[in-house]
């Protein structure tokens, strides 16, 4: 029996504390509106490179602002948030493991386990032993999952997921996609919920008019030519 | 008689629709909490260059997301938002004029007038005639203001305001500063209000612990070396 609920795609990377917080809040939003969540791991660094952008952790005052902002959100949600000592870190193994077909049986528990490993327990999920341990706790075969995650097929899958997300206009994490509509970041969740509930305040005609008429009159030099 | 109310500094650039929306919402927040607003024009492009960042208007899918997001916010606030045809544009003259001591008598009306010129009426405030017109409507001497705005002193003042903001950790607009605490963006306004009301959910010890312990374990190559 396949689900007949419409889907919200959730593009994420474990490196993002906003994604961790969104992952905690999304189930109640989707339950209220009758949508199904489909997680799609993507490499945040790949999105940044595509657009020549820096991540918040790479701009020191922004990193400080963001952790404070996220600590406030976590406090309001009543969930723990302990920014890990090792950040930024390499999330590839965890993202590849999460993308495996063989992870599907315990997918929700695996994602929550890996988010918690980073953002609650300060564990270093770049290390295979940590991913294996979290996968075991999620009821999966951790050793097998870690081995599979290092195959060419697993690497290609994550790269394709990231490329497809870029093609769909995803530029950051977390991004929530409903049909062609993209919602970015934890702060966009209220607008996602309005959209899902059929109460989106956005006037599509205003958007169309602007997209057609745009004529930038001053552009800075780009970092990449 | 000088004001004895504590201040919230508002760093802004007319190029930002989030700053336009924040400027509309801030008076009620400050009235509820008993603070005084002190606007500080800064050149957003200067903040971006300092940190090697791109602005949202320079990343096409982000520009589209942001205008949609801001249109939703404007609809909820019940205020008009007509993204201008000419965007990005050169905001220097308008920012320099706003920073002049001779603008102080009509400062609030000038700022709202210039924001409305861009974000409601689609006027091109890079043009001196437009700034002059808006200044006149704000009860100021528009011709004199535009002339003064083109002096070396006015140029230096804006540059110094931008540099001081950077020194204080400002990386984007709008930023609201209360003592050493920075709140960034329209979405941060609820947290600013909690902070002003003495109900900030942030645990300063968690911040201090993280700032001391941070050890990045994977950094990407920087665009600028």
């Amino acid at each position: 029996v396949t689900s007949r609920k419409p889907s919200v795609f959730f593009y994420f990377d474990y490196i993002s504390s906003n994604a961790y917080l969104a992952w905690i809040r999304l189930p109640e939003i989707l339950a209220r509106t009758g949508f199904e969540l489909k997680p799609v791991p993507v490499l945040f660094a790949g999105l940044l490179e595509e657009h020549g952008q820096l991540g918040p952790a790479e701009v020191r005052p922004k990193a400080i602002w963001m952790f404070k902002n996220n600590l406030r959100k976590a406090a309001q949600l009543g969930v723990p948030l302990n920014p890990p000592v090792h950040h930024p870190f390499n999330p590839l193994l965890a993202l590849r493991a999460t993308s495996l077909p063989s992870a599907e049986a315990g997918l929700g528990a695996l994602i929550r386990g890996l988010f918690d490993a980073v953002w609650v327990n300060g564990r270093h999920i770049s290390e295979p032993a940590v991913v294996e341990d979290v996968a075991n706790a999620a009821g999966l075969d951790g050793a097998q999952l870690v081995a599979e995650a290092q195959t060419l097929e697993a690497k290609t899958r994550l790269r394709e997921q990231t490329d497809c997300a870029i093609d769909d206009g995803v530029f950051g994490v977390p991004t929530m996609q409903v049909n062609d509509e993209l919602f970015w970041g934890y702060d966009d969740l209220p607008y996602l919920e309005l959209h899902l509930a059929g109460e989106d305040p956005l006037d599509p005609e205003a958007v169309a008019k602007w997209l057609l008429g745009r004529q930038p009159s001053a552009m800075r030099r780009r970092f990449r030519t």
Side-chain angles (χ1 to χ4, degrees), chain A residues 60-80:
Chain A
R60 182 160 172 82
K62 192 168 186 176
I64 294 171
W65 168 82
M66 205 181 69
F67 277 121
K68 286 180 165 186
N69 170 276
N70 280 204
L71 285 168
R72 290 184 171 104
K73 286 169 176 160
Q76 285 189 324
L77 282 174
V79 300

Side-chain angles (χ1 to χ4, degrees), chain A residues 10-32:
Chain A
F10 176 71
Y11 299 95
F12 73 99
D13 184 329
Y14 295 109
I15 210 157
S16 161
S17 48
N18 268 302
Y20 157 70
L21 295 172
W23 181 251
I24 289 172
R25 272 207 52 200
L26 275 165
E28 68 185 71
I29 293 174
L30 297 213
R32 280 198 292 268

Side-chain angles (χ1 to χ4, degrees), chain A residues 57-126:
Chain A
E58 296 172 304
V59 177
R60 182 160 172 82
K62 192 168 186 176
I64 294 171
W65 168 82
M66 205 181 69
F67 277 121
K68 286 180 165 186
N69 170 276
N70 280 204
L71 285 168
R72 290 184 171 104
K73 286 169 176 160
Q76 285 189 324
L77 282 174
V79 300
L81 175 62
N82 304 309
V85 167
H86 296 292
H87 190 280
F89 57 84
N90 182 333
L92 282 168
L93 181 70
L95 294 171
R96 288 169 182 157
T98 307
S99 305
L100 293 169
S102 53
E104 273 175 29
L107 190 59
L110 178 66
I111 294 174
R112 181 62 190 264
L114 287 166
F115 269 129
D116 282 355
V118 176
W119 293 107
V120 179
N121 303 313
R123 300 181 75 184
H124 197 29
I125 65 167
S126 303

Side-chain angles (χ1 to χ4, degrees), chain A residues 207-216:
Chain A
V207 178
K209 192 179 126 200
W210 169 72
L211 286 175
L212 280 172
R214 227 158 68 102
Q215 294 170 23

Side-chain angles (χ1 to χ4, degrees), chain A residues 7-14 16 19 23 26 36-44 47 94-100 104 107-108 111 115 156-166 168 170 172-178 182:
Chain A
S7 296
V8 173
F9 293 92
F10 176 71
Y11 299 95
F12 73 99
D13 184 329
Y14 295 109
S16 161
W23 181 251
L26 275 165
E36 183 177 51
L37 196 58
K38 293 207 174 155
V40 185
V42 292
L43 184 66
F44 182 39
L47 305 182
L95 294 171
R96 288 169 182 157
T98 307
S99 305
L100 293 169
E104 273 175 29
L107 190 59
I111 294 174
F115 269 129
T156 303
R157 184 177 293 114
L158 178 64
R159 197 174 307 117
E160 286 177 351
Q161 283 168 190
T162 305
D163 288 345
C164 286
I166 290 168
D168 276 3
V170 174
V173 287
T175 291
M176 288 67 66
Q177 183 182 28
V178 195
L182 299 177

